[in-house]
Amino acid sequence: MRIAVASIGLAALAACSSPSPAPPPAAGTARQAVVVLASASGSRVSGKLTLVPKGDGVLISGEVGGLAPNGQFGFHVHAKGDCSAADAASAGGHFNPAGSMHGRAGGSVHHAGDMDNIVADAGGRAKVDVYLRGVTLGGGAADDIAGRAVIVHADPDDYRSQPAGNAGARVACGVIE
């Protein structure tokens, strides 16, 4: 009887002292990400954005400066988290895991990375407060935008030209980190 008690005691002690494996991460596990926008294509556009998961999407907020006063500018999540090219072409096309046509965010057909144009004030600054539906932040799912790039374009997106809304040169690029 004494041996059985000792065996049970050692087994219980071993179970308590060994760490249990961590649960696998769930889709959309990041609590926050930051994007530091750096100029591209010879522009002076820059900014900083914060991304936070919320509901069925991601809230993107921050400020972009160095824009033409009172202008509108295309604003998208692009497929690759690579801003190394001088013109930011290394970021690839719009993030589009479903293979949809380009369109306006919230419309029936659009890329996952399509967002409405940002608008600069008289000082060339745009406040960003965008809710991007249907994407996640972290976790590696097909709709995950972590590690991808955010691009500011020189012109407004027309929301209909294919494949990218005719938004012109890429004037700022930053990776979602």
Side-chain angles (χ1 to χ4, degrees):
M1 178 110 175
R2 198 173 234 203
I3 295 172
V5 172
S7 295
I8 292 170
L10 289 175
L13 180 60
C16 290
S17 64
S18 63
S20 58
T29 57
R31 293 184 187 194
Q32 180 173 314
V34 174
V35 176
V36 177
L37 293 165
S39 60
S41 302
S43 80
R44 293 180 179 232
V45 178
S46 63
K48 185 174 180 182
L49 307 169
T50 301
L51 290 77
V52 178
K54 183 176 179 183
D56 67 345
V58 174
L59 180 62
I60 303 171
S61 58
E63 187 172 298
V64 179
L67 298 162
N70 303 312
Q72 293 188 36
F73 306 90
F75 186 64
H76 309 103
V77 174
H78 282 245
K80 299 176 186 173
D82 181 356
C83 296
S84 62
D87 63 357
S90 51
H94 294 179
F95 178 54
N96 187 18
S100 300
M101 299 291 284
H102 176 69
R104 188 168 191 173
S108 60
V109 177
H110 61 89
H111 300 149
D114 288 344
M115 295 183 276
D116 285 352
N117 294 324
I118 58 174
V119 180
D121 62 16
R125 290 177 305 277
K127 298 277 187 199
V128 177
D129 188 18
V130 173
Y131 184 63
L132 185 58
R133 288 191 193 284
V135 299
T136 59
L137 186 62
D143 60 357
D144 183 6
I145 61 172
R148 301 187 188 284
V150 174
I151 298 283
V152 178
H153 292 270
D155 300 316
D157 186 328
D158 66 16
Y159 307 121
R160 59 184 180 279
S161 298
Q162 300 301 321
N166 200 29
R170 299 168 186 206
V171 294
C173 182
V175 177
I176 301 169
E177 300 185 289

